[in-house]
Amino acid sequence: MSDACGCGDEKTGTGVSEEAEETVGFWQVSEVRAAAVSGVLLLVAWVASLTGGPQWLTLSLEIGALLVAAWTFVPSTLRRLVKGKIGVGTLMTIAAAGAVALGQYEEAAMLAFLYAISEGLEEYSMAKTRRGLRALLDLVPAEATVLRGGIETTVPPAELTRGDRMVVRPGERLATDGRIITGRTSLDTSALTGESVPVEAGPGSEVFAGSINGTGPLEVEVTSTAENNSLARIVHIVEAEQSRKGPGQRLADSIASKLVPGILIAAVMIIIFGFIVGEPLLWFERALVVLVAASPCALAISVPVTVVASVGAASRIGVLIKGGGALETLGKIRTIALDKTGTLTRNKPAVIDVAATGAATREHVLALAAGLEARSEHPLARAILAAATDRAVVTDVDTIPGAGLEGRLEGRTVRLGRPGWINAGPLAAVVERMQHAGATAVLIEDDGLVIGAIAVRDELRPEAREVIARLSASGYTTAMLTGDNLITATALGKAAGISEIHADLRPEDKAEIIRTLKARQPTAMVGDGVNDAPALATADTGIAMGAMGTDVAIETADIALMGEDLKHLPQVLDHARRTRQIMLQNVGLSLLLIAVLIPLALLGMLGLAAVVLIHELAEIVVIANGVRAGRLRSRTALDATAPVPALEPTA
């Protein structure tokens, strides 16, 4: 909570006490229990006064109610005053002390009682809305089975060490991150990534804590301790980043922090005016009412409650939002720039066509290409190797940066590379046709003569066109950024429904394009978080796609979509827009409340009890409105009548 509010005890950076984090039951919040006791004492005092009970009994009950309720905010207020900090708790303490000085014990007790209720509701709502994030840690099972000395042993997850072999049976959750050694299965990762489709996994596959093993028994090598696994890192990063305040929250804090000393000065001036006109008691009482009327506690908590609720809700669908700053900025985004490979496409390129010229055959072209690519880790290489049934023995292979590969075959020079570095010659029309089909074309040359061309295409994600259509319908401008050639990029962009294409880009070029887009409208960049890091950092908001378990993606981006489903993008954008609207509603309501109550209190039209009641009821409304950000709207169905058009094959 803001320092300006200053209500309640010392809080964590996100405004939730440690006790409230662990216990979110309504009656487990100490402020709520104190308010309940105070309310009972006030009720008994009121009944006693109506039935003609002794005055000392009524007074004792009112003082008791005051002391119990004041315990929830006066001690913390005094501690903050010692540190030179004033806030809403200061105003309430002064107002209660002033009411006691005037002999208005009932009004003082009522003020403290209602303020304690608002404190309790704030604690409860803040803790409750964080539960969606903290619940991620509950996905880790209480026990894990490990093989030690060839014997299965059950241990707590905290005792797992790197290198241990976990045995995970069908239906069990993984206790920590690891790598499958033996076994094949389908993993349910919906609780982590928000994706409902099971993920197929086998030997060598990375698996993450909290995933549910579906069909087959597994042996998994532990690669991360329980306190440092992917789930723990997600929770740690979000909680650490929640202290990053967005523009709206800084505005609320700034207004509240300046308003409190201004109110105190105004109250002193009102009291001085009372002495000047000869009615010090009347104006002293009005000064106290003004103190309460101008309390900005609702303003100070209006944005933090909303942020915590919204971030917790997003985590439930596998979206990691790093604090209020990222959330507010995301709500203002109007341009979405998307990387092609791995974001709009599956990042699983495949050979779709092979062309040969002269005496060369398609099989010979593929075999020669496979021989050159044998040791390459490039995605195109994997596609060519997967398509080739034979592999030529090519030696002395060198990589020519930005061009291709060169090697020796039976004393001849052979090359594989992009058009331009290798002259397409008689295959020029074929290469252009491949590129217009959205494929990347590579040429193969043997002893100075081009002998063939291979088309490799990374298919669009099946949901890509639908997602782009929804973004466009929502008023977003979309752009595609890629290092591919312009013809291929244009074909893929057209298939996805994107009209603004930027091709032949290096990582630094992407960052420059983002700067240009930012000059027009607030811009988000969606990429993989590694080679797109400069663009992600340059954008108003960086969104990493498929970031589960990827430290670089989580650290670089402001938002991380933990799964591979692109449909989460429009969903989180809608969520951020709605959250920002709620923030603005809360700030506006809080300021309007202060603007209305101050003149009414100054003119004597409202007494202390009435102002306290109105103010605290409005604060409850603000909290309740902020909590609405924790309710995710059901995912709007994408247009099923507009299927993604298949790119025309070249073969």
Side-chain angles (χ1 to χ4, degrees):
M1 190 182 332
S2 163
D3 284 346
C5 190
C7 12
D9 210 340
E10 298 292 334
K11 312 280 168 103
T12 66
T14 54
V16 185
S17 68
E18 294 297 330
E19 175 189 0
E21 286 187 16
E22 298 300 325
T23 58
V24 294
F26 184 71
W27 292 108
Q28 291 173 303
V29 178
S30 59
E31 288 86 351
V32 172
R33 295 197 300 268
V37 173
S38 178
V40 170
L41 292 175
L42 274 174
L43 179 62
V44 174
W46 178 68
V47 171
S49 65
L50 288 180
T51 56
Q55 186 175 0
W56 65 265
L57 176 61
T58 302
L59 183 60
S60 298
L61 290 169
E62 289 172 352
I63 293 174
L66 171 62
L67 293 175
V68 171
W71 170 81
T72 64
F73 64 92
V74 172
S76 60
T77 296
L78 296 178
R79 286 195 295 272
R80 297 175 71 83
L81 282 174
V82 170
K83 298 178 182 178
K85 297 179 180 179
I86 59 174
V88 177
T90 310
L91 300 185
M92 292 300 178
T93 301
I94 293 173
V100 170
L102 292 173
Q104 298 180 1
Y105 294 100
E106 183 179 2
E107 285 77 3
M110 182 65 69
L111 183 153
F113 162 66
L114 291 172
Y115 191 59
I117 289 177
S118 67
E119 282 285 274
L121 288 174
E122 180 190 350
E123 283 290 322
Y124 174 69
S125 63
M126 295 285 276
K128 186 173 182 291
T129 54
R130 287 189 64 195
R131 189 166 54 187
L133 176 63
R134 301 293 300 181
L136 284 175
L137 296 179
D138 295 335
L139 297 177
V140 176
E143 295 179 336
T145 303
V146 294
L147 283 173
R148 290 178 177 171
I151 301 174
E152 291 189 6
T153 306
T154 301
V155 299
E159 295 183 11
L160 292 171
T161 59
R162 291 183 179 87
D164 276 343
R165 283 199 171 197
M166 286 192 300
V167 176
V168 187
R169 296 178 175 83
E172 293 183 344
R173 288 188 184 271
L174 275 77
T176 191
D177 299 345
R179 183 181 298 105
I180 295 178
I181 301 173
T182 62
R184 291 190 174 276
T185 188
S186 58
L187 293 173
D188 179 358
T189 62
S190 58
L192 308 175
T193 65
E195 295 179 6
S196 57
V197 179
V199 177
E200 298 300 320
S205 298
E206 297 286 340
V207 291
F208 304 109
S211 302
I212 301 175
N213 182 19
T215 55
L218 301 175
E219 283 189 23
V220 178
E221 179 185 358
V222 173
T223 58
S224 176
T225 59
E227 63 270 16
N228 196 41
N229 63 37
S230 52
L231 286 180
R233 287 202 308 273
I234 291 170
V235 173
H236 172 74
I237 289 171
V238 172
E239 291 184 340
E241 292 290 342
Q242 279 179 343
S243 61
R244 291 170 54 191
K245 297 181 179 180
Q249 187 168 348
R250 285 194 295 268
L251 174 63
D253 288 352
S254 176
I255 294 173
S257 61
K258 293 174 183 176
L259 193 59
V260 170
I263 293 167
L264 291 174
I265 294 172
V268 171
M269 294 181 67
I270 293 171
I271 293 172
I272 293 174
F273 177 77
F275 279 100
I276 293 174
V277 299
E279 296 181 289
L281 289 179
L282 172 64
W283 289 98
F284 180 73
E285 183 176 351
R286 289 191 181 180
L288 294 178
V289 179
V290 168
L291 282 179
V292 178
S295 169
C297 201
L299 174 66
I301 68 171
S302 60
V303 174
V305 167
T306 309
V307 167
V308 174
S310 182
V311 169
S315 71
R316 295 197 297 271
I317 61 166
V319 178
L320 175 65
I321 301 178
K322 295 167 66 172
L327 182 63
E328 286 193 62
T329 303
L330 186 64
K332 295 189 292 185
I333 292 299
R334 291 297 175 267
T335 297
I336 312 293
L338 302 102
D339 175 51
K340 178 179 75 69
T341 305
T343 302
L344 287 170
T345 65
R346 298 172 180 269
N347 199 21
K348 295 179 180 178
V351 172
I352 62 168
D353 190 17
V354 180
T357 185
T361 64
R362 294 162 61 96
E363 290 73 19
H364 176 63
V365 170
L366 268 177
L368 183 53
L372 283 161
E373 295 277 24
R375 297 185 179 180
S376 175
E377 293 297 325
H378 193 281
L380 293 182
R382 292 195 294 270
I384 290 172
L385 291 171
T389 57
D390 196 9
R391 187 180 304 178
V393 181
V394 181
T395 59
D396 302 326
V397 177
D398 288 328
T399 300
I400 311 301
L405 300 169
E406 184 176 277
R408 304 287 293 177
L409 175 65
E410 299 176 355
R412 305 188 309 275
T413 298
V414 292
R415 298 196 300 170
L416 176 150
R418 62 178 178 81
W421 185 59
I422 296 176
N423 186 0
L427 294 176
V430 173
V431 168
E432 186 174 352
R433 176 166 54 85
M434 291 175 172
Q435 292 175 339
H436 278 296
T440 298
V442 293
L443 292 165
I444 295 85
E445 184 184 84
D446 187 348
D447 202 21
L449 295 175
V450 64
I451 64 168
I454 299 175
V456 180
R457 187 169 64 196
D458 189 6
E459 300 290 351
L460 283 174
R461 294 180 182 276
E463 73 273 17
R465 183 173 180 83
E466 297 173 278
V467 168
I468 298 302
R470 176 169 169 181
L471 292 175
S472 298
S474 298
Y476 294 101
T477 301
T478 56
M480 186 176 80
L481 278 57
T482 179
D484 236 334
N485 67 80
L486 182 59
I487 297 177
T488 299
T490 301
L492 281 167
K494 182 179 179 181
I498 300 175
S499 57
E500 187 171 343
I501 309 296
H502 301 274
D504 292 314
L505 301 177
R506 295 170 297 176
E508 57 270 29
D509 297 329
K510 291 182 180 181
E512 189 58 39
I513 294 294
I514 291 295
R515 291 188 188 95
T516 303
L517 295 174
K518 281 175 60 178
R520 301 194 317 227
Q521 289 180 315
T523 299
M525 172 67 190
V526 187
D528 61 16
V530 181
N531 63 341
D532 293 314
L536 288 169
T538 303
D540 293 299
T541 300
I543 304 175
M545 178 94 174
M548 189 64 196
T550 307
D551 291 334
V552 175
I554 296 177
E555 296 292 345
T556 303
D558 303 294
I559 314 289
L561 308 182
M562 308 310 291
E564 297 284 346
D565 191 347
L566 196 57
K567 292 179 182 178
H568 286 315
L569 179 59
Q571 188 179 15
V572 73
L573 286 166
D574 289 347
H575 180 59
R577 270 190 176 182
R578 178 170 176 266
T579 297
R580 187 166 180 267
Q581 291 172 352
I582 292 174
M583 290 179 186
L584 295 176
Q585 290 169 5
N586 277 349
V587 171
L589 178 61
S590 303
L591 292 176
L592 178 63
L593 173 69
I594 294 173
V596 171
L597 287 184
I598 286 180
L600 294 178
L602 188 61
L603 295 173
M605 298 177 66
L606 291 175
L608 183 61
V611 167
V612 169
L613 181 60
I614 294 172
H615 189 84
E616 303 305 339
L617 286 176
E619 185 176 334
I620 293 170
V621 170
V622 164
I623 293 174
N625 192 44
V627 170
R628 286 197 306 120
R631 296 199 298 269
L632 275 169
R633 290 177 175 176
S634 58
R635 186 180 303 181
T636 303
L638 297 177
D639 185 9
T641 64
V644 180
L647 294 170
E648 295 182 4
T650 61

